[in-house]
Amino acid sequence: MEFAVTDELLGTFVPIAVYWLYSGLYIVLDGLGMDDYRLHPKGEEVKNIVSKWTVVRGVLVQQAFQIAVSLLLFTVLGDESGTVRKQPSALVIALQFIIAMFVMDTWQYFMHRYMHINKFLYKHVHSKHHTLVVPYAFGALYNHPLEGLILDTIGGALSFLISGMTPRTGIFFFSFATIKTVDDHCGLWLPGNILHVFFSNNSAYHDIHHQLYGNKYNFSQPFFVMWDKILGTYMPYTLETRKGGGYEACPVKLNQAQQTKVD
């Protein structure tokens, strides 16, 4: 029996490979010495109350759920004839990307915010992700399996279905979304990072959310900050140079944040 590597299979497994490869790049950079670009000094990692091996295992569990749901989705929606859907024009693909980004951001904002509002969900589900007070790249998807299912897997499925993209386009979209998520958790502010040129939702913006003072702000992920600004949960920050090297994302006072929202 011949085994075919379909776009559906690639769309399932390529983003997972991208996750570990891109995270691995940050591990290599960390080994080269990135103290001048850290958002937290190396010593602050003791604030994280789980080991890195625990994080690796947790991410692998989430990715196993992600694989199962993705394969189920493609099985239900698949064409039994084996016909590969024709790729639309580049303009249509770009529009599908934008729609998928909007859908994913909208879903994740409201689900993420609700997990902070609901005390039971925060205590028993979402707090697992916040055990990483000092985020790092491969901890981006360290979540409770239920959170991973609701935020990431269902959010991804909705983005795929509503945008109408093909499985082949999905390979690139979900790989890009994975890169963006890992980058937002990398804990570094690297010069020349092209993602910072196009997105104000970045590693410093999300770092604010991981701190106690920003726990009720900056829920938006992984692309835009629009819902935070519209619904009053936007906490602006300044990036300050820290004595001894590195940077610190310092929140602007809340009254200024509200003024920024009005402006």
Side-chain angles (χ1 to χ4, degrees):
M1 182 177 177
E2 186 177 348
F3 178 77
V5 179
T6 63
D7 289 341
E8 287 83 356
L9 278 178
L10 290 174
T12 300
F13 289 98
V14 168
I16 293 174
V18 167
Y19 182 90
W20 293 109
L21 288 171
Y22 196 58
S23 297
L25 173 63
Y26 276 111
I27 292 173
V28 171
L29 289 175
D30 187 49
L32 296 176
M34 290 284 110
D35 289 348
D36 288 341
Y37 307 107
R38 291 183 183 280
L39 293 173
H40 294 270
K42 187 75 172 176
E44 285 192 11
E45 287 187 357
V46 297
K47 293 179 179 179
N48 295 338
I49 60 176
V50 289
S51 70
K52 290 186 176 180
W53 283 114
T54 300
V55 170
V56 169
R57 289 194 299 269
V59 172
L60 288 173
V61 168
Q62 172 165 333
Q63 290 175 333
F65 276 94
Q66 180 181 322
I67 290 169
V69 174
S70 179
L71 292 178
L72 177 62
L73 176 67
F74 285 131
T75 299
V76 171
L77 299 177
D79 184 353
E80 293 183 0
S81 67
T83 303
V84 178
R85 286 173 58 187
K86 184 180 178 181
Q87 285 292 97
S89 67
L91 181 61
V92 171
I93 291 175
L95 180 60
Q96 290 172 336
F97 254 69
I98 293 171
I99 293 171
M101 291 163 74
F102 174 77
V103 171
M104 182 174 285
D105 263 28
T106 301
W107 176 263
Q108 293 212 2
Y109 175 85
F110 287 100
M111 292 298 101
H112 184 193
R113 185 174 180 181
Y114 183 68
M115 285 190 177
H116 278 264
I117 294 172
N118 186 296
K119 293 181 179 179
F120 178 86
L121 286 177
Y122 185 82
K123 180 179 179 180
H124 296 285
V125 179
H126 187 55
S127 62
K128 181 173 182 177
H129 184 67
H130 280 275
T131 56
L132 297 181
V133 179
V134 180
Y136 48 82
F138 64 86
L141 292 183
Y142 180 64
N143 301 313
H144 188 284
L146 180 60
E147 176 177 353
L149 177 65
I150 294 173
L151 260 71
D152 300 311
T153 307
I154 294 178
L158 288 172
S159 301
F160 177 81
L161 294 171
I162 294 174
S163 68
M165 64 176 56
T166 66
R168 184 164 297 177
T169 301
I171 298 170
F172 296 96
F173 174 73
F174 291 115
S175 295
F176 175 59
T178 297
I179 288 172
K180 184 66 175 61
T181 300
V182 169
D183 206 80
D184 290 348
H185 289 82
C186 71
L188 299 173
W189 187 266
L190 295 177
N193 187 330
I194 194 169
L195 292 174
H196 295 174
V197 175
F198 295 100
F199 299 98
S200 55
N201 194 335
N202 49 47
S203 54
Y205 185 84
H206 194 66
D207 185 76
I208 292 289
H209 177 72
H210 272 260
Q211 309 312 308
L212 184 60
Y213 56 75
N215 195 257
K216 296 181 180 179
Y217 297 89
N218 295 10
F219 297 109
S220 293
Q221 57 185 44
F223 298 111
F224 309 113
V225 301
M226 116 186 119
W227 287 117
D228 278 319
K229 287 190 172 184
I230 291 172
L231 297 175
T233 54
Y234 175 73
M235 180 179 279
Y237 64 90
T238 59
L239 201 62
E240 305 291 342
T241 302
R242 184 188 295 106
K243 287 184 178 180
Y247 298 100
E248 181 176 1
C250 299
V252 176
K253 291 181 181 178
L254 290 183
N255 62 336
Q256 295 180 3
Q258 294 301 321
Q259 184 61 45
T260 301
K261 182 175 179 290
V262 173
D263 292 343

